[in-house]
Amino acid sequence: AQPAPGTPLTHFSNSPKSVTLFYPNLGEAREEFTLDKNAAQSQGQEIELLIYLPGAARPDTLTMNFTGGRVLSMHSEALRPDEADPVLDPLRARLNEARSREQVLTAQAAAVEARLNGLNSAFMPEASIAKELEQLDAARQKYVPALAAEAAQLSRTLEKARAELAWLENELNSHPPSWRVKAVLLRENTSGDAVTYAYILDNCGWNPVYRLEALPDQKSVHFSMSAEVWQRSGFDWSNTDLRLATVQPGLSLAPGELWPWRIGLEEPLLARSQKSMSMEMAEASAPLQASADMVMSKPYAPPREVQRTSYALWELGAKNLVNNETSSFAILEDKWPAKFSVTLRPLTGRSGYLTAQVDKSAATRNLPDGQGLYLVDNTSVGQGAFSPLGEEPIFFGPDPMVFADMKLLDS
């Protein structure tokens, strides 16, 4: 139907068509749609557009492109609690369905309970007649077990329905208000009708999880990486074109200013203060560690890797991401040549540690630090931090066959 004259065109989506999930907790959502054929088609005409963004969006990062001309202006505002919110309509619909279902189940449970009470407390003034007592007893034996089973099943179903209802109410109440963006487009040609917009989205991200298996007999280390992807937008994402990148948006574009170097005597208190500050800066720049849980699964299709100058990007294709759940996708797999040895440090302990000096492949140069699962010949030996960069040796825990003891030979 053609919109009334002066009525802005409206677009919104709860499931982004394309999302690049950056490391570690931001995403860039992209949307594309085609203007209605009845929209302004003459050159020089302006088109009013209303776009609704989810509450987790950052409207100040919104960019827009119009193939039929250019964008004249954009203005964003948060919706008031008393305003209609089309972004939350699916959640409200689910809540209404859950309330109706809970009411129906409550009525069914009450009806079954009433029938059970009627049979169990039936009173007959002529119950002294043996035949009537037999009929009542037969009715109880016939109907009470089935009614009791039905009552138990309804009780379990009702409990689940009420839990779902409570979750939906809490989800809707805790969901931040959506954003309304008012945009004005200028028609400059009649050949384009596509509008594309992108924005930064909070409450989504991915973490790398590594698996390193030492194979001393094969003189190699089997390396693999999976990505744990999550989103907490409040909605399930269906058929989202998922891409993962190792770049971290929001970091400073330029390095910090250098402090002047002073050569001379310093007060001990000042020296200690500077040392404390350096330690705090080092802790603040430490990489975020991923979850220790290892959930490995095969992707629907092998991811396509795109190596950039300073970061890596993987195109995983269309994926479904369930709200508040973590999905795991296999990303990389490689086998590194390794030289194995045993590292002994008697001053710290008598155990010898299996050590691998590996030649890491060029594919790891842009990978972020993360949590790793360490194995030796398909047997887990522990979990710990892993950095794909650098040439430091990789330790695979104590070697049960090698020990070192320190003994005093002469006093």
Side-chain angles (χ1 to χ4, degrees):
Q2 183 174 357
T7 302
L9 302 177
T10 302
H11 183 265
F12 62 91
S13 175
N14 297 321
S15 179
K17 180 181 178 181
S18 176
V19 176
T20 300
L21 294 176
F22 294 97
Y23 177 89
N25 56 4
L26 290 177
E28 183 189 57
R30 293 183 180 271
E31 297 283 356
E32 181 177 350
F33 67 98
T34 302
L35 290 179
D36 190 281
K37 291 298 183 181
N38 296 316
Q41 294 295 327
S42 301
Q43 293 189 20
Q45 284 188 291
E46 294 184 359
I47 305 172
E48 295 184 13
L49 182 63
L50 289 181
I51 294 178
Y52 291 87
L53 305 180
R58 297 185 180 181
D60 58 318
T61 64
L62 178 67
T63 60
M64 187 179 299
N65 180 60
F66 175 38
T67 58
R70 57 193 173 96
V71 181
L72 292 180
S73 64
M74 290 189 299
H75 173 71
S76 62
E77 58 184 353
L79 292 178
R80 299 190 308 271
D82 59 339
E83 288 186 281
D85 191 340
V87 176
L88 297 179
D89 281 348
L91 196 60
R92 289 168 174 164
R94 288 179 58 189
L95 179 60
N96 291 333
E97 292 176 0
R99 285 172 175 165
S100 299
R101 177 173 170 76
E102 190 269 343
Q103 292 173 359
V104 170
L105 289 172
T106 300
Q108 291 177 347
V112 171
E113 188 68 24
R115 291 182 64 188
L116 271 174
N117 292 335
L119 283 171
N120 289 326
S121 62
F123 174 74
M124 299 177 61
E126 303 84 10
S128 58
I129 303 175
K131 184 177 180 179
E132 294 176 346
L133 285 174
E134 290 177 358
Q135 291 176 349
L136 177 59
D137 186 60
R140 286 172 174 168
Q141 293 182 22
K142 181 178 180 180
Y143 296 111
V144 168
L147 288 173
E150 184 179 358
Q153 179 62 38
L154 280 171
S155 176
R156 292 190 292 268
T157 306
L158 185 58
E159 182 180 358
K160 293 180 181 179
R162 286 172 175 167
E164 180 185 8
L165 178 59
W167 182 87
L168 286 169
E169 289 176 340
N170 179 71
E171 188 73 15
L172 188 60
N173 293 332
S174 62
H175 205 285
S178 301
W179 296 94
R180 178 172 52 218
V181 179
K182 299 179 181 179
V184 179
L185 313 179
L186 177 64
R187 169 76 69 181
E188 294 181 330
N189 65 73
T190 58
S191 60
D193 291 302
V195 176
T196 304
Y197 61 94
Y199 55 90
I200 295 297
L201 186 67
D202 289 320
N203 296 335
C204 61
W206 73 281
N207 290 319
V209 180
Y210 299 101
R211 185 180 188 274
L212 299 104
E213 181 179 3
L215 302 170
D217 293 342
Q218 302 180 25
K219 298 181 180 179
S220 63
V221 170
H222 186 198
F223 165 84
S224 63
M225 171 187 140
S226 64
E228 291 186 342
V229 184
W230 49 271
Q231 63 93 359
R232 303 188 185 98
S233 66
F235 308 95
D236 295 341
W237 293 353
S238 302
N239 295 321
T240 297
D241 184 16
L242 184 62
R243 296 176 295 159
L244 306 181
T246 58
V247 68
Q248 299 187 54
L251 298 181
S252 300
L253 297 179
E257 296 293 333
L258 292 175
W259 291 2
W261 288 10
R262 295 187 176 91
I263 301 176
L265 296 176
E266 293 286 351
E267 294 293 331
L269 181 60
L270 179 59
R272 288 196 299 269
S273 176
Q274 289 179 338
K275 182 178 179 181
S276 175
M277 182 180 298
S278 299
M279 292 177 64
E280 291 178 0
M281 292 177 63
E283 292 177 357
S285 61
L288 179 67
Q289 298 302 323
S291 170
D293 295 333
M294 293 294 296
V295 183
M296 304 293 291
S297 64
K298 294 183 179 180
Y300 300 111
R304 176 176 175 267
E305 182 177 0
V306 180
Q307 282 287 346
R308 306 297 190 187
T309 303
S310 59
Y311 69 95
L313 183 144
W314 294 276
E315 298 175 348
L316 277 68
K319 302 295 180 185
N320 297 328
L321 297 178
V322 179
N323 178 51
N324 278 333
E325 291 188 8
T326 300
S327 301
S328 183
F329 303 98
I331 302 296
L332 285 177
E333 189 172 356
D334 199 1
K335 184 172 285 189
W336 298 334
K339 295 180 180 179
F340 287 93
S341 60
V342 176
T343 299
L344 296 168
R345 294 175 181 172
L347 289 176
T348 60
R350 63 192 302 262
S351 297
Y353 289 80
L354 182 63
T355 309
Q357 190 69 47
V358 301
D359 182 13
K360 300 176 183 177
S361 64
T364 65
R365 69 178 185 271
N366 289 326
L367 299 184
D369 293 350
Q371 197 75 9
L373 175 66
Y374 294 81
L375 304 94
V376 177
D377 292 328
N378 202 33
T379 301
S380 175
V381 294
Q383 295 176 337
F386 173 71
S387 177
L389 302 178
E391 299 180 356
E392 293 80 6
I394 302 176
F395 296 102
F396 288 90
D399 188 328
M401 305 300 293
V402 181
F403 297 91
D405 291 317
M406 294 184 64
K407 295 182 179 180
L408 181 63
L409 299 180
D410 195 2
S411 61

